[in-house]
């Protein structure tokens, strides 16, 4: 137990050495944890997930994956690369980046083919995930012809089919209708119950309690403002407001205007 999956020590990243995106992040993810990354637009959530997925590398500071420092040069070794990509999967915030094949079916087959998963096994997994996500009717369609929500479901399928030990999800419920969103959360929770480690960037506070035991809030300075048990962070209304995670409701009662913070936990009372 308590096996370290990722450890970040004073990680800095800037795009093109000009646009600062993360400034000194310390973080640890342990095996089997569910973690949420929260923060305002532009606070660095997607950048953090891309660093964990080794798509980009720190300008300063270190990232350790299972105790071994992640170095760009390691990825020149095809075997290291294959193992890492089999172990860690990222669902991008923008599904258009994830889906690039002429058909949905080819997109879902792409990962297993690339990673050398045996054909029968790949087909078994694909049938299961396509059934679970209810996307059977989309298989012969071109990804660009799908609705945003349909694209997101297909993007999630392209990662889950690889059965990675660590699943990184960037705003997985954005643009999904409430029932589809519920369904995706159930799939994420079920994967975690099977031992998968889950890291989710989201603005959707309604899902945080379910998809996270612990949460990190990033601030505008692109640092960790606070981390701790998800429940604890969620109950700190002032902290959430400070980081654009809750909004003020404005409405009228008996002709008088009222402004109060949006209570994201209201749904538990109904
Ligand atoms: N490709 C890029 N080139 C230059 N700057 C970038 C690029 N991508 C992101 N940034 C900058 O890096 C910072 C962090 O962006 P990032 O996308 O990680 O934030 P985020 O928390 O995921 O935001 P959102 O909630 O809008 O998805 C922002 O200031 C952003 O402008
Ligand atoms: Mg983002």
């Amino acid at each position: 137990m308590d096996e370290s999956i990722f450890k970040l020590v004073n990680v800095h990243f800037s795009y093109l050495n000009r646009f600062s995106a993360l400034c000194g992040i310390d973080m640890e993810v342990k095996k089997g944890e569910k973690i949420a990354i929260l923060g305002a637009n532009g606070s660095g959530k997607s950048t953090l997930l891309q660093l964990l997925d080794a798509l980009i590398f720190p300008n300063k500071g270190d990232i350790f994956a299972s105790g071994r420092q992640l170095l760009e040069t390691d990825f020149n070794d095809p075997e290291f690369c294959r193992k890492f990509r089999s172990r860690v999967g990222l669902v991008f915030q923008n599904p258009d980046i994830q889906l690039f094949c002429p058909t949905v079916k080819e997109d879902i087959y792409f990962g297993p083919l690339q990673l050398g998963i045996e054909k029968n096994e790949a087909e078994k997994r694909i049938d299961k995930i396509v059934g679970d996500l209810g996307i059977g009717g989309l298989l012969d369609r071109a990804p660009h012809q799908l609705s945003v929500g349909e694209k997101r479901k297909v993007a999630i399928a392209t990662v889950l089919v690889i059965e990675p030990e660590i699943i990184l999800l960037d705003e997985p419920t954005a643009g999904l209708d409430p029932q589809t969103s519920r369904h995706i959360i159930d799939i994420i929770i079920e994967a975690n119950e099977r031992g998968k480690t889950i890291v989710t960037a989201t603005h959707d506070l309604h899902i945080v309690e379910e998809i996270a035991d612990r949460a990190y809030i990033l601030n505008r300075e692109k640092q960790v403002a606070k981390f701790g048990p998800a429940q604890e962070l969620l109950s700190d209304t002032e902290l959430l407001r400070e980081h654009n995670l809750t909004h003020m409701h404005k409405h009228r009662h008996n002709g008088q205007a009222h402004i109060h913070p949006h209570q994201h936990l209201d749904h538990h009372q109904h």
Side-chain angles (χ1 to χ4, degrees):
M1 276 309 279
D2 269 10
E3 187 188 320
S4 176
I5 294 286
F6 289 117
K7 188 173 166 77
L8 283 72
V9 183
N10 193 27
V11 167
H12 292 248
F13 182 82
S14 51
Y15 290 93
L16 309 168
N17 283 319
R18 269 203 301 154
F19 306 106
S20 180
L22 288 173
C23 299
I25 303 291
D26 293 315
M27 182 181 182
E28 181 146 35
V29 179
K30 300 242 168 84
K31 188 171 166 59
E33 274 198 303
K34 286 183 288 179
I35 295 201
I37 313 287
L38 309 173
N41 291 132
S43 58
K45 302 178 297 297
S46 297
T47 304
L48 182 54
L49 291 184
Q50 288 174 51
L51 283 162
L52 297 181
D53 198 37
L55 295 175
I56 52 179
F57 294 84
N59 301 118
K60 189 178 150 196
D62 300 309
I63 301 184
F64 299 89
S66 298
R68 173 180 170 156
Q69 189 173 9
L70 263 188
L71 296 171
E72 195 163 5
T73 47
D74 288 337
F75 287 81
N76 296 333
D77 171 4
E79 190 49 23
F80 180 89
C81 193
R82 193 189 62 77
K83 278 201 183 128
F84 188 89
R85 299 279 163 236
S86 307
R87 215 170 150 242
V88 185
L90 168 65
V91 178
F92 283 83
Q93 181 168 6
N94 176 359
D96 289 328
I97 297 178
Q98 200 119 32
L99 308 174
F100 47 83
C101 293
T103 65
V104 166
K105 193 181 198 166
E106 286 164 278
D107 263 319
I108 300 176
Y109 266 90
F110 184 84
L113 281 178
Q114 284 288 309
L115 297 171
I117 295 168
E118 200 251 325
K119 193 160 176 276
N120 282 348
E121 170 64 20
E123 276 171 1
K124 210 168 78 189
R125 290 187 194 180
I126 290 164
D127 283 350
K128 164 119 182 39
I129 200 71
V130 164
D132 283 354
L133 286 163
I135 51 175
L138 306 178
L139 290 178
D140 295 322
R141 307 264 300 272
H144 71 266
Q145 291 170 334
L146 305 180
S147 78
V148 175
E150 288 169 341
K151 279 185 196 174
R152 192 165 304 284
K153 284 198 270 185
V154 174
I156 291 171
T158 65
V159 171
L160 292 183
V161 75
I162 295 165
E163 295 198 357
E165 270 174 62
I166 302 138
I167 306 173
L168 310 171
L169 298 138
D170 201 347
E171 310 278 357
T173 54
L176 297 182
D177 65 59
Q179 284 185 25
T180 306
S181 175
R182 172 75 260 156
H183 191 51
I184 297 295
I185 293 163
D186 287 340
I187 289 173
I188 296 171
I189 294 170
E190 196 257 338
N192 178 253
E193 283 166 355
R194 283 187 287 117
K196 311 286 186 194
T197 305
I198 314 278
V199 183
T200 311
T202 186
H203 289 117
D204 188 354
L205 295 184
H206 285 110
I207 73 169
V208 172
E209 254 186 307
E210 290 195 83
I211 51 100
D213 314 311
R214 289 200 303 126
Y216 284 75
I217 299 187
L218 303 184
N219 60 22
R220 287 175 191 77
E221 289 71 43
K222 289 135 174 154
Q223 295 161 336
V224 175
K226 193 149 186 191
F227 70 97
Q231 280 278 2
E232 206 174 292
L233 269 54
L234 285 175
S235 60
D236 190 339
T237 322
E238 197 45 49
L239 177 77
L240 299 177
R241 189 135 37 107
E242 198 182 320
H243 297 285
N244 284 19
L245 293 165
T246 183
H247 61 266
M248 301 298 283
H249 269 310
K250 189 170 183 180
H251 56 124
R252 295 186 82 80
H253 283 309
N254 303 327
Q256 292 221 315
H258 288 264
I259 300 179
H260 61 80
H262 174 70
Q263 293 293 326
H264 66 89
L265 295 175
D266 273 359
H267 66 294
H268 289 302
Q269 291 159 12
H270 303 303

